[in-house]
């Protein structure tokens, strides 16, 4: 039992040190490591929701988009309020901040349109929100942007 606790303590000390060195295979850069990293859970939930919204928009289902608006808005707002993750590579910070701002604008537009817009505006806002989410996640992971930010 004590041996297991000591091993766990050593791992907890060693992991941050590996992260400081780049944490990847044979000196891989943080950007290269981030490009192959899986999307974190908090972004995965948002991506799932915006992808679903985009699919509903493709079908023209504005009623379902309006119904999912509270969940989507709350999830997006919680991510905007969150601090920037510590593992964003230094070279990706400007794109991350710009992506978050673009997402915030798209979310603000989404909320406004869902409350008082036409069905066509809701559908377009869902597409815009999905594009902004993809751009923000790409910046976080250090990937080349699918769409320009």
């Amino acid at each position: 039992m004590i041996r297991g606790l000591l091993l766990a303590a050593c791992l907890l000390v060693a992991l941050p040190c590996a992260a400081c060195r780049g944490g990847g295979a044979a000196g891989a850069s943080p950007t290269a490591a981030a490009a192959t990293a899986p999307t974190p859970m908090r972004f995965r939930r948002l991506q799932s929701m915006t992808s679903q919204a985009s699919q509903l928009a493709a079908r023209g289902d504005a009623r379902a988009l309006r119904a999912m608006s509270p969940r989507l808005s709350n999830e997006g707002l919680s991510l905007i309020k969150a601090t920037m993750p510590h593992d964003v590579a230094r070279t990706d910070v400007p794109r991350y901040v710009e992506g978050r701002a673009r997402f915030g604008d798209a979310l603000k537009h989404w909320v406004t349109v869902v409350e008082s817009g036409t069905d066509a505006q809701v559908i377009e806002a869902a597409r815009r929100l999905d594009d902004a989410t993809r751009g923000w996640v790409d910046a976080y992971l250090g990937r080349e942007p699918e769409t320009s930010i």
Side-chain angles (χ1 to χ4, degrees), residues 43 46-47 50 92 94-103 127-149:
F43 280 105
L46 179 65
Q47 270 188 311
T50 58
D92 295 326
R95 278 187 55 224
Y96 177 87
V97 172
E98 191 174 347
R100 181 164 65 182
R102 181 175 173 233
F103 175 80
R127 290 185 183 124
R128 179 179 169 189
L129 192 59
D130 186 43
D131 286 344
T133 302
R134 289 176 193 274
W136 190 18
V137 171
D138 286 346
Y140 170 68
L141 295 176
R143 290 188 213 141
E144 292 298 318
E146 290 180 18
T147 59
S148 63
I149 292 181

